Amino acid sequence: MTTVSFHLEGSRITGFEVQGHSGYAHEGSDIVCAGVTSAVRLCECAINDVLGLEASVKYREKDASLSLKLPGGLGQTNESTCQALLTALMVYLTELHEEYPENISVLEV
């Protein structure tokens, strides 16, 4: 199962961690893993490459995990944009959980 943990400070999403394989299908054919990976990479690219921020991103192949942590001191516009992106990611992954409850779990920590 893929577990996605969104880290919160009050109502502010500070980052997330994705861990594990969904187990829906074999590697290369797993639509749940593909959906999660695509959404997470889009969010990371929007924050780091489009907005030019330096969110901390760590990939660990050995345990199939990825984490992203927003930098501190974001201006109001960047903070608002990052919160919209991370909230959209949370909503999307929660909807994916509703479709595939045995393959993905979404937590707020």
Side-chain angles (χ1 to χ4, degrees):
M1 173 178 284
T2 298
T3 302
V4 185
S5 301
F6 284 90
H7 302 278
L8 298 149
E9 288 179 2
S11 62
R12 180 179 186 258
I13 302 171
T14 61
F16 61 86
E17 182 171 3
V18 180
Q19 196 165 23
H21 295 286
S22 78
Y24 180 78
H26 294 290
E27 187 177 331
S29 301
D30 193 321
I31 61 171
V32 177
C33 275
V36 171
T37 300
S38 180
V40 164
R41 292 190 71 187
L42 175 65
C43 191
E44 186 268 327
C45 286
I47 291 169
N48 282 336
D49 300 330
V50 175
L51 295 175
L53 304 176
E54 294 184 19
S56 171
V57 178
K58 295 180 183 175
Y59 300 97
R60 291 183 304 274
E61 258 187 70
K62 68 179 180 178
D63 63 350
S65 70
L66 175 144
S67 65
L68 180 140
K69 182 176 181 182
L70 290 177
L74 297 176
Q76 184 176 355
T77 301
N78 282 336
E79 178 67 30
S80 178
T81 302
C82 286
Q83 290 306 303
L85 288 166
L86 292 173
T87 300
L89 179 64
M90 185 187 299
V91 169
Y92 169 74
L93 294 175
T94 299
E95 289 178 1
L96 198 59
H97 163 73
E98 290 173 9
E99 291 181 53
Y100 302 96
E102 301 297 317
N103 305 100
I104 181 171
S105 174
V106 180
L107 309 170
E108 294 180 21
V109 295

XYZ file of all heavy atoms in Angstrom:
817
model
N 0.844 -1.183 0.000
C 0.000 0.000 0.000
C 0.887 1.243 0.000
O 1.909 1.293 0.661
C -0.908 0.014 1.227
C -1.686 1.314 1.334
S -2.826 1.418 2.709
C -4.128 0.388 2.096
N 0.443 2.248 -0.734
C 1.100 3.555 -0.718
C 0.472 4.383 0.392
O -0.748 4.466 0.491
C 0.911 4.282 -2.062
O 1.533 3.510 -3.093
C 1.513 5.669 -2.039
N 1.314 4.969 1.225
C 0.845 5.843 2.292
C 1.370 7.246 2.028
O 2.570 7.438 1.816
C 1.329 5.358 3.672
O 0.867 4.034 3.882
C 0.828 6.264 4.777
N 0.460 8.214 2.022
C 0.823 9.613 1.836
C 0.487 10.336 3.130
O -0.658 10.309 3.579
C 0.064 10.268 0.665
C 0.560 11.692 0.437
C 0.202 9.437 -0.599
N 1.494 10.961 3.733
C 1.315 11.715 4.970
C 1.554 13.189 4.687
O 2.642 13.570 4.258
C 2.297 11.234 6.038
O 2.116 9.864 6.312
N 0.534 13.995 4.925
C 0.662 15.443 4.783
C 0.983 16.018 6.153
O 0.271 15.758 7.123
C -0.629 16.058 4.224
C -0.794 15.821 2.758
C -1.452 14.692 2.291
C -0.271 16.704 1.838
C -1.590 14.454 0.939
C -0.399 16.472 0.471
C -1.055 15.348 0.026
N 2.053 16.788 6.228
C 2.491 17.386 7.478
C 1.848 18.763 7.621
O 1.923 19.585 6.701
C 4.014 17.486 7.511
C 4.670 16.151 7.355
N 4.830 15.281 8.402
C 5.161 15.525 6.265
C 5.413 14.173 7.963
N 5.611 14.299 6.669
N 1.214 18.976 8.778
C 0.485 20.218 9.011
C 1.018 20.936 10.246
O 1.415 20.305 11.221
C -1.006 19.930 9.218
C -1.699 19.294 8.018
C -2.824 18.402 8.456
C -2.218 20.383 7.118
N 1.018 22.252 10.169
C 1.233 23.121 11.322
C -0.001 24.007 11.368
O -0.123 24.938 10.572
C 2.499 23.956 11.163
C 3.775 23.156 11.295
C 5.028 23.991 11.115
O 4.941 25.230 10.926
O 6.122 23.394 11.153
N -0.939 23.666 12.240
C -2.239 24.327 12.220
C -2.947 23.922 10.939
O -3.060 22.741 10.627
N -3.377 24.898 10.166
C -4.036 24.598 8.895
C -3.059 24.662 7.715
O -3.437 24.393 6.583
C -5.198 25.565 8.657
O -4.702 26.893 8.570
N -1.801 25.003 7.983
C -0.783 25.129 6.921
C -0.146 23.774 6.629
O 0.340 23.085 7.526
C 0.297 26.106 7.347
C 1.389 26.294 6.318
C 2.443 27.303 6.785
N 3.390 27.556 5.727
C 4.612 27.021 5.677
N 5.033 26.224 6.644
N 5.415 27.305 4.661
N -0.162 23.390 5.350
C 0.534 22.176 4.921
C 1.998 22.553 4.734
O 2.325 23.438 3.942
C -0.050 21.620 3.609
C -1.541 21.329 3.755
C 0.713 20.353 3.189
C -2.241 20.986 2.451
N 2.890 21.887 5.474
C 4.318 22.204 5.394
C 5.068 21.262 4.466
O 6.209 21.534 4.098
C 4.963 22.152 6.788
O 4.821 20.828 7.319
C 4.327 23.168 7.726
N 4.436 20.149 4.103
C 5.076 19.187 3.218
C 4.333 17.870 3.238
O 3.238 17.764 3.805
N 4.937 16.866 2.647
C 4.320 15.538 2.597
C 5.389 14.479 2.411
O 6.520 14.774 2.020
C 3.281 15.447 1.470
C 3.843 15.670 0.094
C 4.407 14.622 -0.632
C 3.815 16.928 -0.483
C 4.928 14.832 -1.906
C 4.332 17.147 -1.753
C 4.885 16.091 -2.464
N 4.998 13.237 2.694
C 5.851 12.086 2.441
C 5.007 10.998 1.798
O 3.876 10.754 2.226
C 6.479 11.556 3.726
C 7.409 10.392 3.480
C 8.199 9.995 4.717
O 7.987 10.576 5.794
O 9.024 9.082 4.585
N 5.540 10.382 0.765
C 4.888 9.277 0.064
C 5.780 8.061 0.249
O 6.987 8.138 0.025
C 4.727 9.578 -1.448
C 4.055 8.418 -2.158
C 3.978 10.872 -1.664
N 5.165 6.939 0.660
C 5.970 5.763 0.934
C 5.239 4.499 0.505
O 4.035 4.366 0.723
C 6.276 5.708 2.424
C 7.376 4.785 2.796
C 7.860 5.052 4.215
O 7.142 5.602 5.038
N 9.068 4.652 4.489
N 5.979 3.598 -0.114
C 5.464 2.277 -0.442
C 4.867 2.154 -1.836
O 4.578 3.140 -2.494
N 4.727 0.909 -2.258
C 4.110 0.587 -3.545
C 2.637 0.255 -3.322
O 2.282 -0.392 -2.344
C 4.804 -0.605 -4.197
C 6.218 -0.325 -4.577
N 6.559 0.470 -5.650
C 7.389 -0.707 -4.016
C 7.872 0.553 -5.735
N 8.403 -0.151 -4.757
N 1.807 0.661 -4.242
C 0.357 0.461 -4.053
C -0.057 -1.002 -4.119
O -1.011 -1.399 -3.479
C -0.432 1.270 -5.084
O -0.429 0.616 -6.340
N 0.641 -1.790 -4.915
C 0.287 -3.199 -5.032
C -0.929 -3.461 -5.903
O -1.461 -4.560 -5.909
N -1.358 -2.464 -6.649
C -2.529 -2.653 -7.516
C -2.207 -3.596 -8.677
O -3.035 -4.424 -9.049
C -3.007 -1.299 -8.055
C -4.215 -1.408 -8.949
C -5.483 -1.591 -8.414
C -4.076 -1.327 -10.331
C -6.589 -1.701 -9.229
C -5.181 -1.437 -11.159
C -6.434 -1.627 -10.609
O -7.525 -1.739 -11.422
N -1.014 -3.457 -9.244
C -0.594 -4.290 -10.382
C 0.928 -4.374 -10.384
O 1.604 -3.725 -9.587
C -1.104 -3.701 -11.699
N 1.462 -5.148 -11.311
C 2.912 -5.271 -11.436
C 3.530 -3.931 -11.833
O 2.881 -3.091 -12.468
C 3.279 -6.328 -12.487
C 2.873 -7.710 -12.085
N 3.483 -8.387 -11.067
C 1.899 -8.516 -12.570
C 2.921 -9.570 -10.931
N 1.937 -9.679 -11.834
N 4.799 -3.767 -11.458
C 5.536 -2.556 -11.811
C 5.440 -2.312 -13.320
O 5.569 -3.229 -14.118
C 7.011 -2.714 -11.411
C 7.825 -1.462 -11.588
C 9.249 -1.630 -11.117
O 9.495 -2.436 -10.208
O 10.114 -0.942 -11.673
N 5.158 -1.074 -13.684
C 4.992 -0.717 -15.087
C 3.552 -0.766 -15.556
O 3.219 -0.224 -16.603
N 2.694 -1.433 -14.780
C 1.273 -1.541 -15.124
C 0.365 -1.008 -14.022
O -0.845 -1.112 -14.123
C 0.908 -3.004 -15.386
O 1.679 -3.533 -16.426
N 0.951 -0.453 -12.978
C 0.199 -0.046 -11.792
C -0.339 1.375 -11.970
O 0.390 2.353 -11.849
C 1.108 -0.136 -10.568
C 0.342 -0.047 -9.271
O -0.606 0.748 -9.185
O 0.720 -0.771 -8.331
N -1.635 1.478 -12.243
C -2.239 2.795 -12.497
C -2.321 3.646 -11.240
O -2.293 4.873 -11.321
C -3.631 2.668 -13.156
C -4.607 1.898 -12.257
C -3.518 2.040 -14.535
C -6.041 1.912 -12.741
N -2.403 3.025 -10.066
C -2.440 3.800 -8.828
C -1.074 4.444 -8.588
O -0.983 5.652 -8.326
C -2.877 2.933 -7.625
C -2.830 3.742 -6.337
C -4.269 2.367 -7.861
N -0.008 3.677 -8.709
C 1.349 4.235 -8.561
C 1.601 5.321 -9.610
O 2.184 6.358 -9.297
C 2.409 3.149 -8.683
S 2.740 2.287 -7.140
N 1.158 5.092 -10.814
C 1.357 6.086 -11.877
C 0.625 7.380 -11.559
O 1.165 8.479 -11.749
C 0.895 5.528 -13.221
N -0.602 7.267 -11.054
C -1.372 8.455 -10.695
C -0.719 9.235 -9.565
O -0.632 10.463 -9.605
N -0.257 8.527 -8.542
C 0.401 9.170 -7.402
C 1.702 9.835 -7.861
O 1.946 11.009 -7.566
C 0.677 8.160 -6.271
C 1.561 8.775 -5.188
C -0.625 7.647 -5.681
N 2.516 9.091 -8.579
C 3.810 9.620 -9.025
C 3.646 10.849 -9.891
O 4.335 11.858 -9.712
C 4.593 8.530 -9.796
O 4.803 7.421 -8.917
C 5.924 9.052 -10.294
N 2.730 10.805 -10.830
C 2.511 11.931 -11.725
C 2.062 13.176 -10.964
O 2.570 14.276 -11.180
C 1.466 11.546 -12.780
O 1.243 12.615 -13.654
N 1.127 13.022 -10.044
C 0.619 14.165 -9.276
C 1.693 14.752 -8.376
O 1.849 15.980 -8.292
C -0.593 13.734 -8.448
N 2.464 13.895 -7.717
C 3.521 14.356 -6.824
C 4.609 15.087 -7.611
O 5.078 16.154 -7.201
C 4.096 13.165 -6.027
C 5.426 13.502 -5.384
C 3.091 12.707 -4.981
N 4.995 14.537 -8.742
C 6.042 15.184 -9.544
C 5.574 16.516 -10.107
O 6.341 17.473 -10.185
C 6.499 14.241 -10.658
C 7.243 13.034 -10.049
C 7.919 12.197 -11.062
N 9.068 12.951 -11.566
C 9.808 12.542 -12.583
N 9.512 11.416 -13.187
N 10.829 13.238 -12.992
N 4.306 16.603 -10.513
C 3.761 17.871 -10.994
C 3.829 18.924 -9.894
O 4.251 20.060 -10.124
C 2.325 17.694 -11.477
C 1.608 18.979 -11.888
C 2.278 19.608 -13.115
C 0.147 18.711 -12.150
N 3.434 18.559 -8.693
C 3.455 19.484 -7.564
C 4.886 19.933 -7.260
O 5.152 21.130 -7.076
C 2.827 18.803 -6.357
S 2.501 19.907 -4.995
N 5.806 18.994 -7.219
C 7.212 19.318 -6.948
C 7.791 20.224 -8.032
O 8.488 21.202 -7.737
C 8.032 18.024 -6.827
C 9.462 18.233 -6.404
C 10.437 18.397 -7.553
O 10.223 17.767 -8.609
O 11.407 19.164 -7.413
N 7.498 19.944 -9.288
C 7.995 20.775 -10.395
C 7.394 22.183 -10.336
O 8.093 23.172 -10.592
C 7.677 20.134 -11.741
S 8.701 18.710 -12.121
N 6.118 22.284 -9.996
C 5.482 23.596 -9.898
C 6.138 24.431 -8.800
O 6.416 25.623 -8.988
C 3.981 23.445 -9.631
N 6.411 23.803 -7.658
C 7.002 24.537 -6.538
C 8.455 24.908 -6.812
O 8.851 26.060 -6.646
C 6.874 23.714 -5.234
C 5.396 23.644 -4.819
C 7.730 24.309 -4.119
C 5.106 22.646 -3.711
N 9.260 23.948 -7.242
C 10.689 24.208 -7.400
C 11.062 24.818 -8.748
O 11.854 25.758 -8.792
C 11.497 22.931 -7.169
C 11.636 22.617 -5.696
O 11.546 23.498 -4.851
N 11.836 21.358 -5.384
N 10.506 24.311 -9.821
C 10.933 24.754 -11.148
C 10.154 25.953 -11.674
O 10.733 26.845 -12.282
C 10.848 23.598 -12.150
C 11.733 22.426 -11.744
O 12.768 22.656 -11.095
O 11.372 21.278 -12.058
N 8.859 25.985 -11.434
C 8.048 27.085 -11.947
C 8.131 28.293 -11.010
O 8.405 29.406 -11.442
C 6.580 26.659 -12.182
C 5.731 27.843 -12.599
C 6.515 25.555 -13.233
N 7.904 28.060 -9.714
C 7.950 29.161 -8.756
C 9.382 29.534 -8.367
O 9.621 30.611 -7.834
C 7.154 28.813 -7.495
C 5.650 28.634 -7.679
C 5.007 28.184 -6.377
C 5.008 29.919 -8.182
N 10.320 28.634 -8.616
C 11.721 28.903 -8.309
C 12.051 28.826 -6.828
O 13.033 29.400 -6.374
N 11.243 28.114 -6.075
C 11.494 27.951 -4.641
C 12.424 26.759 -4.435
O 12.677 25.989 -5.357
C 10.171 27.750 -3.904
C 9.134 28.859 -4.134
C 7.837 28.521 -3.438
C 9.671 30.204 -3.679
N 12.918 26.631 -3.250
C 13.836 25.534 -2.972
C 13.254 24.619 -1.894
O 13.801 24.508 -0.796
C 15.200 26.076 -2.568
C 15.887 26.802 -3.705
C 17.286 27.270 -3.353
O 17.874 26.743 -2.388
O 17.787 28.148 -4.051
N 12.153 23.971 -2.237
C 11.586 22.989 -1.318
C 12.553 21.824 -1.215
O 13.148 21.403 -2.207
C 10.226 22.512 -1.821
N 12.708 21.310 -0.017
C 13.574 20.162 0.213
C 12.873 18.908 -0.299
O 11.761 18.594 0.130
C 13.856 20.040 1.711
O 14.516 18.826 1.989
N 13.515 18.216 -1.229
C 12.945 16.991 -1.787
C 13.954 15.866 -1.591
O 15.129 16.007 -1.921
C 12.637 17.144 -3.294
C 12.097 15.847 -3.870
C 11.667 18.288 -3.525
N 13.477 14.755 -1.038
C 14.333 13.593 -0.818
C 13.674 12.372 -1.435
O 12.522 12.078 -1.157
C 14.555 13.359 0.675
C 15.315 14.483 1.341
C 15.503 14.215 2.809
C 16.211 15.410 3.440
N 16.320 15.271 4.884
N 14.436 11.678 -2.292
C 13.979 10.434 -2.901
C 14.774 9.300 -2.265
O 15.983 9.412 -2.100
C 14.269 10.413 -4.408
C 13.621 11.502 -5.189
C 14.313 12.666 -5.512
C 12.316 11.370 -5.645
C 13.715 13.675 -6.251
C 11.716 12.372 -6.384
C 12.427 13.519 -6.684
O 11.833 14.515 -7.413
N 14.106 8.214 -1.934
C 14.793 7.037 -1.413
C 14.246 5.814 -2.142
O 13.129 5.384 -1.870
C 14.604 6.916 0.095
C 15.326 8.008 0.876
C 15.184 7.827 2.383
N 13.814 7.749 2.861
C 13.054 8.807 3.178
N 13.518 10.025 3.044
N 11.826 8.635 3.618
N 15.044 5.313 -3.079
C 14.600 4.167 -3.875
C 14.432 2.910 -3.048
O 13.510 2.131 -3.279
C 15.599 3.895 -5.008
C 15.112 4.421 -6.335
C 16.016 4.009 -7.465
O 16.031 2.808 -7.799
O 16.688 4.900 -8.003
N 15.316 2.701 -2.066
C 15.294 1.445 -1.318
C 13.981 1.201 -0.583
O 13.562 0.070 -0.438
C 16.471 1.359 -0.349
C 16.430 2.325 0.797
C 17.628 2.140 1.704
C 17.548 3.149 2.850
N 18.641 2.978 3.766
N 13.308 2.271 -0.125
C 12.013 2.073 0.524
C 10.879 2.750 -0.235
O 9.800 2.962 0.308
C 12.041 2.516 1.982
C 12.304 4.000 2.169
O 12.653 4.684 1.197
O 12.142 4.480 3.307
N 11.134 3.056 -1.492
C 10.118 3.644 -2.385
C 9.445 4.844 -1.719
O 8.230 4.886 -1.574
C 9.089 2.604 -2.806
N 10.265 5.827 -1.313
C 9.672 6.988 -0.659
C 10.187 8.295 -1.252
O 11.254 8.354 -1.857
C 9.951 6.954 0.841
O 11.308 7.185 1.110
N 9.375 9.311 -1.072
C 9.691 10.658 -1.505
C 9.110 11.599 -0.465
O 8.004 11.382 0.028
C 9.062 10.952 -2.865
C 9.223 12.369 -3.392
C 9.409 12.351 -4.881
C 8.048 13.241 -3.023
N 9.876 12.622 -0.102
C 9.342 13.627 0.803
C 9.638 15.012 0.257
O 10.620 15.214 -0.452
C 9.915 13.468 2.211
O 11.301 13.706 2.206
N 8.750 15.941 0.574
C 8.909 17.336 0.174
C 8.568 18.194 1.378
O 7.566 17.958 2.057
C 7.978 17.685 -0.980
C 8.058 19.134 -1.481
C 7.959 19.182 -2.995
C 6.991 20.005 -0.845
N 9.428 19.174 1.659
C 9.188 20.116 2.750
C 9.354 21.524 2.205
O 10.374 21.844 1.592
C 10.161 19.874 3.900
C 9.906 20.793 5.074
C 10.800 20.489 6.237
C 10.444 21.451 7.366
N 11.299 21.256 8.519
N 8.330 22.348 2.422
C 8.396 23.732 1.965
C 9.456 24.504 2.723
O 9.664 24.267 3.919
C 7.048 24.438 2.172
C 5.891 24.013 1.280
C 4.629 24.782 1.681
C 6.205 24.236 -0.185
N 10.109 25.446 2.061
C 11.055 26.303 2.776
C 10.301 27.305 3.643
O 9.119 27.572 3.421
C 11.809 27.010 1.641
C 10.849 27.029 0.501
C 10.032 25.771 0.638
N 10.968 27.862 4.620
C 10.359 28.887 5.452
C 10.468 30.248 4.782
O 11.161 30.420 3.781
N 9.787 31.212 5.349
C 9.914 32.588 4.890
C 9.365 32.870 3.507
O 9.868 33.757 2.814
N 8.349 32.134 3.092
C 7.744 32.397 1.784
C 6.942 33.695 1.855
O 6.286 33.962 2.854
C 6.810 31.255 1.378
C 7.445 29.875 1.175
C 6.366 28.851 0.886
C 8.472 29.911 0.077
N 6.983 34.449 0.797
C 6.131 35.633 0.724
C 4.671 35.223 0.602
O 4.348 34.056 0.374
N 3.793 36.195 0.743
C 2.356 35.909 0.746
C 1.893 35.226 -0.538
O 1.131 34.268 -0.506
C 1.569 37.199 0.962
C 0.079 36.983 1.068
C -0.680 38.268 1.376
O -0.093 39.314 1.603
N -1.995 38.169 1.375
N 2.364 35.701 -1.686
C 1.938 35.114 -2.960
C 2.423 33.682 -3.106
O 1.648 32.783 -3.458
C 2.428 35.967 -4.145
O 1.894 37.285 -4.007
C 2.009 35.372 -5.476
N 3.716 33.435 -2.823
C 4.250 32.074 -2.928
C 3.616 31.146 -1.910
O 3.339 29.985 -2.204
C 5.770 32.068 -2.781
C 6.479 32.515 -4.035
O 5.946 32.416 -5.132
N 7.686 33.018 -3.885
N 3.376 31.646 -0.698
C 2.728 30.821 0.334
C 1.330 30.408 -0.128
O 0.953 29.237 -0.038
C 2.646 31.582 1.658
C 1.944 30.826 2.764
C 2.678 29.593 3.241
O 3.923 29.543 3.193
O 1.997 28.638 3.677
N 0.578 31.364 -0.636
C -0.779 31.083 -1.099
C -0.763 30.082 -2.255
O -1.572 29.141 -2.287
C -1.452 32.388 -1.528
O -2.733 32.140 -2.025
N 0.155 30.256 -3.180
C 0.255 29.352 -4.332
C 0.642 27.945 -3.880
O 0.043 26.953 -4.319
C 1.271 29.882 -5.357
O 0.865 31.183 -5.774
C 1.374 28.965 -6.563
N 1.620 27.845 -2.974
C 2.044 26.528 -2.480
C 0.919 25.833 -1.724
O 0.722 24.622 -1.875
C 3.276 26.660 -1.590
S 4.792 27.007 -2.508
N 0.172 26.585 -0.935
C -0.936 25.982 -0.193
C -2.015 25.479 -1.157
O -2.598 24.416 -0.939
C -1.509 26.953 0.839
C -0.569 27.212 2.003
C -0.105 25.935 2.689
O -0.922 25.140 3.157
N 1.207 25.727 2.751
N -2.266 26.232 -2.217
C -3.245 25.785 -3.221
C -2.763 24.498 -3.899
O -3.545 23.550 -4.082
C -3.499 26.876 -4.249
N -1.479 24.438 -4.251
C -0.932 23.246 -4.899
C -0.991 22.033 -3.975
O -1.427 20.942 -4.382
C 0.514 23.489 -5.336
C 0.729 24.419 -6.515
C 2.195 24.830 -6.607
C 0.287 23.742 -7.803
N -0.565 22.199 -2.730
C -0.543 21.083 -1.799
C -1.952 20.639 -1.405
O -2.206 19.445 -1.228
C 0.288 21.435 -0.570
C 1.790 21.593 -0.842
C 2.505 22.112 0.404
C 2.411 20.296 -1.317
N -2.859 21.589 -1.288
C -4.255 21.234 -0.993
C -4.866 20.471 -2.163
O -5.573 19.477 -1.963
C -5.078 22.497 -0.671
O -4.494 23.136 0.473
C -6.530 22.150 -0.377
N -4.590 20.912 -3.375
C -5.086 20.197 -4.558
C -4.521 18.782 -4.609
O -5.245 17.825 -4.920
C -4.729 20.964 -5.828
N -3.241 18.624 -4.270
C -2.630 17.293 -4.233
C -3.330 16.421 -3.194
O -3.652 15.262 -3.461
C -1.132 17.403 -3.923
C -0.373 16.088 -3.822
C -0.362 15.343 -5.160
C 1.052 16.337 -3.327
N -3.605 16.990 -2.026
C -4.283 16.234 -0.974
C -5.685 15.810 -1.417
O -6.085 14.661 -1.211
C -4.372 17.051 0.317
C -4.956 16.274 1.475
S -5.265 17.244 2.975
C -3.642 17.804 3.394
N -6.420 16.708 -2.034
C -7.770 16.391 -2.512
C -7.709 15.292 -3.565
O -8.470 14.310 -3.517
C -8.472 17.653 -3.057
C -9.754 17.295 -3.797
C -8.768 18.631 -1.917
N -6.805 15.424 -4.523
C -6.672 14.422 -5.585
C -6.340 13.049 -5.005
O -6.965 12.038 -5.361
C -5.601 14.851 -6.594
C -5.226 13.752 -7.544
C -6.084 13.377 -8.578
C -4.027 13.049 -7.398
C -5.759 12.343 -9.448
C -3.697 12.022 -8.253
C -4.563 11.673 -9.277
O -4.232 10.649 -10.119
N -5.357 12.998 -4.100
C -4.954 11.715 -3.545
C -6.042 11.124 -2.653
O -6.210 9.902 -2.598
C -3.627 11.857 -2.797
C -2.432 12.204 -3.692
C -1.193 12.453 -2.853
C -2.178 11.126 -4.743
N -6.811 11.956 -1.975
C -7.943 11.482 -1.172
C -9.005 10.874 -2.079
O -9.587 9.825 -1.762
C -8.527 12.624 -0.323
O -7.496 13.093 0.568
C -9.730 12.178 0.475
N -9.260 11.504 -3.221
C -10.212 10.935 -4.184
C -9.693 9.612 -4.750
O -10.466 8.675 -4.954
C -10.502 11.934 -5.293
C -11.330 13.112 -4.812
C -11.602 14.153 -5.883
O -11.163 13.972 -7.045
O -12.252 15.156 -5.552
N -8.382 9.532 -4.971
C -7.789 8.281 -5.440
C -7.958 7.193 -4.376
O -8.264 6.038 -4.698
C -6.312 8.502 -5.780
C -5.624 7.486 -6.663
C -6.309 7.360 -8.020
C -4.161 7.870 -6.855
N -7.820 7.561 -3.105
C -8.046 6.615 -2.003
C -9.489 6.109 -2.013
O -9.734 4.921 -1.746
C -7.741 7.278 -0.654
C -8.319 6.540 0.503
N -7.805 5.343 0.966
C -9.390 6.803 1.279
C -8.540 4.922 1.978
N -9.512 5.791 2.185
N -10.437 6.989 -2.291
C -11.840 6.571 -2.327
C -12.089 5.543 -3.422
O -12.920 4.649 -3.267
C -12.745 7.785 -2.501
C -12.773 8.670 -1.263
C -13.527 9.970 -1.450
O -14.204 10.147 -2.499
O -13.430 10.817 -0.556
N -11.356 5.654 -4.533
C -11.491 4.685 -5.630
C -10.717 3.401 -5.371
O -11.129 2.329 -5.805
C -11.009 5.311 -6.941
C -11.894 6.414 -7.466
C -11.359 6.968 -8.774
O -11.123 6.174 -9.713
O -11.162 8.198 -8.846
N -9.572 3.510 -4.689
C -8.679 2.369 -4.462
C -8.282 2.302 -2.981
O -7.106 2.464 -2.632
C -7.426 2.494 -5.344
C -7.739 2.577 -6.808
C -7.830 3.816 -7.462
C -7.958 1.423 -7.557
C -8.136 3.894 -8.810
C -8.265 1.492 -8.905
C -8.356 2.735 -9.526
O -8.653 2.801 -10.862
N -9.245 2.055 -2.085
C -8.953 2.104 -0.644
C -7.970 1.040 -0.160
O -7.354 1.209 0.894
C -10.333 1.914 0.000
C -11.152 1.226 -1.031
C -10.642 1.728 -2.359
N -7.800 -0.024 -0.910
C -6.856 -1.070 -0.527
C -5.432 -0.763 -0.979
O -4.502 -1.491 -0.609
C -7.290 -2.420 -1.124
C -8.671 -2.863 -0.691
C -8.774 -3.094 0.806
O -7.839 -3.690 1.371
O -9.783 -2.667 1.403
N -5.265 0.307 -1.772
C -3.969 0.567 -2.386
C -3.313 1.879 -1.991
O -2.115 2.055 -2.207
C -4.109 0.518 -3.916
C -4.718 -0.783 -4.358
O -5.912 -0.853 -4.638
N -3.924 -1.831 -4.391
N -4.096 2.823 -1.445
C -3.535 4.109 -1.061
C -4.234 4.618 0.191
O -5.454 4.490 0.326
C -3.605 5.156 -2.199
C -2.981 6.485 -1.739
C -4.988 5.311 -2.755
C -2.821 7.510 -2.861
N -3.423 5.162 1.085
C -3.933 5.750 2.321
C -3.405 7.187 2.390
O -2.245 7.440 2.047
C -3.400 4.943 3.513
O -3.756 5.559 4.720
N -4.256 8.116 2.823
C -3.864 9.519 2.936
C -4.079 9.955 4.382
O -5.179 9.795 4.929
C -4.682 10.419 1.973
C -4.271 11.879 2.109
C -4.509 9.944 0.539
N -3.021 10.480 4.997
C -3.056 10.885 6.397
C -2.679 12.348 6.548
O -1.926 12.880 5.742
C -2.048 10.037 7.208
C -2.118 8.520 7.055
C -0.925 7.874 7.727
C -3.419 8.005 7.644
N -3.183 12.956 7.602
C -2.764 14.302 8.006
C -2.062 14.147 9.336
O -2.637 13.639 10.293
C -3.962 15.233 8.143
C -4.667 15.506 6.835
C -5.861 16.437 7.006
O -5.938 17.177 8.000
O -6.731 16.408 6.115
N -0.792 14.549 9.392
C -0.010 14.409 10.634
C 0.585 15.744 11.050
O 0.702 16.648 10.284
C 1.104 13.346 10.494
C 0.505 11.979 10.298
C 2.057 13.678 9.383
